[in-house]
Structure formats: structure tokens, C-alpha cells
Amino acid sequence: MSVNAKVIHIVDDDPAIRDALSLVFDMEGYAVDTFDNGDAFLDAVGSATPNCVILDVHMPGQSGIEILRRLHGTGFAVPVFVISGQGDIPMAVEAIKQGAHDFIEKPFDADTVVTRVRDAIAAVENTATPPEHPAGAFPGAETLTPREREVLKEITAGASNKEAGRTLGISPRTIEVHRARIMEKIGARNAADLVRIVLSREGPAGG
């Protein structure tokens, strides 16, 4: 394994999921650390920051949402994927509001998970530079998170949910969640209204 291998933290109380994901990431050349509860993960992450975290929503002790809140409060900038079942979609949406990068629905294909994690790590590296547009150029801009600004930039450039998701390393459904929150914060009635508000404030002439 390369000394520069990307580090993945897997936090799940189900040993079968931990073992399956560990095996596939290990085969792809990643360094993997696994944790069966949130407290052990939080202790470890305090001393060494991974490149990506895969976090189960339902665990004994602190839930995935509670762990996300704590990470979010510390300005944790590493992409966190939340594992959720079909019935957990509202919870997964809540996880994104708390700073999760994306969510992975069960049952999942391990190869797909690796691809999405790889894309997420690459997207973080590619978007490490500040956004090109002025952050305060339109009403409500200061309320947007860095991720929401990235999503907004893709939307106003005309990207579809699928295209924006590919660029940012997240799923189209997650783009939809972000878009809804952006529209709510800025006060846009629909996607066209959103683009009009942003571009009219950023362009040389309003309108």
C-alpha cells in the first residue's frame, strides 16, 4: 500500500458491513480504519483526519446524526457519506442539512460506493480554491454553506442535477436537497427564479 494512500474511516455497528467495505477499499489501495461506535470514531478523528468517512445512521449510543452535528460544529471539512435504508431517506436529508456529503442507500453495491467515495475525495481536492463568484453579491448569499455555494455555481452555469452531482462527487438526489435549501434561503420560487436572482445581482447590470 502506498504511504500516500487515502484514509477511509468506516463507522458502523454491523460487522458484516464493516468487513465488506473494508475489503473492497483495501483492494482498491485505500487505508481503512473501522469503528463499531461513534465515540471510538470521534476519539480517533480528533488526532488524525481521514480523507473520507462512511457513517451508519443507526448505531447504539450516538446516532449518525448526532455525530454529524458534533463534526459540523468543529468545522470538519472531510466528505461524510451516511448509510441509510429506504425508510431512512428523511433522516438522510437531515444528515445532509447537518453537513453530510451524500448518502448511500441500502442495499448498496460496494464498487459503486468506492466510485462515489473516490469522486468525493477528488471533488474536495478540486474545489479547495475559493468560489469565483463574490459570495455576498445577492441577498441571502451569506447564509449559504460552502457546499451550497458550489451547488449554486453549478446550477447557475446551467448544469443538470446529474451533471452537477458528477462534478461535485455527490448524487443527483443530494443536489435536489441542496437546491431546495438554497431556494428557501434566497427566497426563490423556482429554479428559473433562483438563476435570475443570482445572475441579476452578479452581472454588470441588474434585470
Side-chain angles (χ1 to χ4, degrees), residues 77-95:
V78 171
V80 179
F81 283 85
V82 171
I83 299 176
S84 66
Q86 283 284 354
D88 297 332
I89 296 305
M91 194 178 290
V93 170
E94 175 63 24

Side-chain angles (χ1 to χ4, degrees), residues 97-170:
K97 292 179 182 177
Q98 296 299 332
H101 180 84
D102 202 353
F103 56 93
I104 299 166
E105 289 181 61
K106 297 177 186 173
F108 53 77
D109 173 67
D111 290 335
T112 303
V113 174
V114 170
T115 300
R116 287 171 66 182
V117 166
R118 185 185 295 122
D119 289 349
I121 293 173
V124 167
E125 291 172 348
N126 291 340
T127 56
T129 53
E132 292 166 18
H133 60 271
F138 52 90
E142 70 285 350
T143 67
L144 301 183
T145 65
R147 170 59 78 187
E148 285 167 352
R149 288 196 188 106
E150 290 168 2
V151 170
L152 181 58
K153 185 178 174 184
E154 293 299 315
I155 293 168
T156 53
S160 66
N161 288 348
K162 193 170 184 178
E163 289 164 344
R166 194 179 305 122
T167 301
L168 299 176
I170 55 182

Side-chain angles (χ1 to χ4, degrees), residues 4-60:
N4 296 318
K6 304 294 185 186
V7 179
I8 311 293
H9 282 188
I10 298 168
V11 192
D12 198 310
D13 62 315
D14 185 338
I17 289 180
R18 289 201 309 273
D19 290 348
L21 288 174
S22 293
L23 181 63
V24 73
F25 277 110
D26 193 53
M27 288 171 62
E28 291 290 331
Y30 290 88
V32 183
D33 288 325
T34 62
F35 306 89
D36 60 6
N37 66 80
D39 288 329
F41 161 69
L42 288 170
D43 286 344
V45 87
S47 56
T49 305
N51 295 96
C52 188
V53 177
I54 298 176
L55 176 67
D56 190 22
V57 167
H58 297 292
M59 289 185 293

